[in-house]
Amino acid sequence: MDMAGRRLKSIFKRVRGVVFLFLVACSLPAANYVDTSDSPVNRPLILRSYVTNADLLLIGVEGYPPNDRLTFYRLVPPPGFAGREVMSNEILPKGTGIQVLGARRCTNCGPSDDQLRIVLLERRLEQPVYLSKRYIRTLLTHLNRDGDN
């Protein structure tokens, strides 16, 4: 096989791989969640208030299937994430107050942490805000009832 033939074969394999990945991604079901707020490990977190220990990103996300509407927010440490699903991105400064309202776990996402549903204490958002539970010890400081740490 000459050089042009090998090159064409290589390009064909790449295109076939991309098409395959696209078809697999399109066939994935939407994520399904179960409420885990009442689990023994999550129950003590519910209705607790925290402040952020660092600047965090509040990323507005379009749901699945795509519908050009902001469906929920994710609170994540920088650099955050990017992709077609990201509809907004803003920095929440260190010291932002939050309160945990509930917890959920994805049942068809593979291994994943619980997600905590939170509210920002300084402002109201129309869509829910989620924070991965793995960040609770490293990015947040618990506030006592009187507001002190």
Side-chain angles (χ1 to χ4, degrees):
M1 188 181 291
D2 66 347
M3 185 68 143
R6 277 191 230 129
R7 186 176 189 137
L8 209 81
K9 188 175 181 179
S10 173
I11 291 171
F12 177 73
K13 283 183 179 180
R14 288 183 190 157
V15 169
R16 187 175 61 190
V18 168
V19 169
F20 174 75
L21 290 174
F22 176 77
L23 292 175
V24 167
C26 288
S27 66
L28 293 175
N32 292 319
Y33 293 92
V34 294
D35 189 291
T36 58
S37 301
D38 286 332
S39 75
V41 294
N42 290 335
R43 192 176 313 123
L45 303 174
I46 307 305
L47 298 181
R48 277 194 163 181
S49 296
Y50 297 86
V51 293
T52 59
N53 293 333
D55 291 349
L56 298 177
L57 298 176
L58 182 69
I59 300 177
V61 179
E62 174 186 33
Y64 183 85
N67 58 9
D68 292 327
R69 287 188 340 206
L70 192 142
T71 307
F72 62 91
Y73 293 94
R74 293 293 306 267
L75 189 60
V76 297
F81 59 92
R84 187 201 53 74
E85 72 278 7
V86 172
M87 299 191 79
S88 67
N89 193 337
E90 69 176 277
I91 296 173
L92 288 183
K94 176 181 178 178
T96 298
I98 68 164
Q99 184 178 43
V100 177
L101 297 181
R104 69 181 190 169
R105 178 175 293 143
C106 183
T107 60
N108 62 342
C109 300
S112 66
D113 293 328
D114 283 1
Q115 294 180 8
L116 301 176
R117 181 167 181 185
I118 62 172
V119 291
L120 303 178
L121 297 178
E122 288 86 16
R123 71 184 226 224
R124 187 179 183 305
L125 297 170
E126 294 297 318
Q127 303 302 332
V129 181
Y130 294 101
L131 170 72
S132 177
K133 185 178 169 184
R134 72 176 172 254
Y135 297 134
I136 200 148
R137 282 188 167 67
T138 57
L139 298 178
L140 304 175
T141 300
H142 176 250
L143 292 177
N144 296 326
R145 285 203 164 93
D146 60 6
D148 295 330
N149 293 339

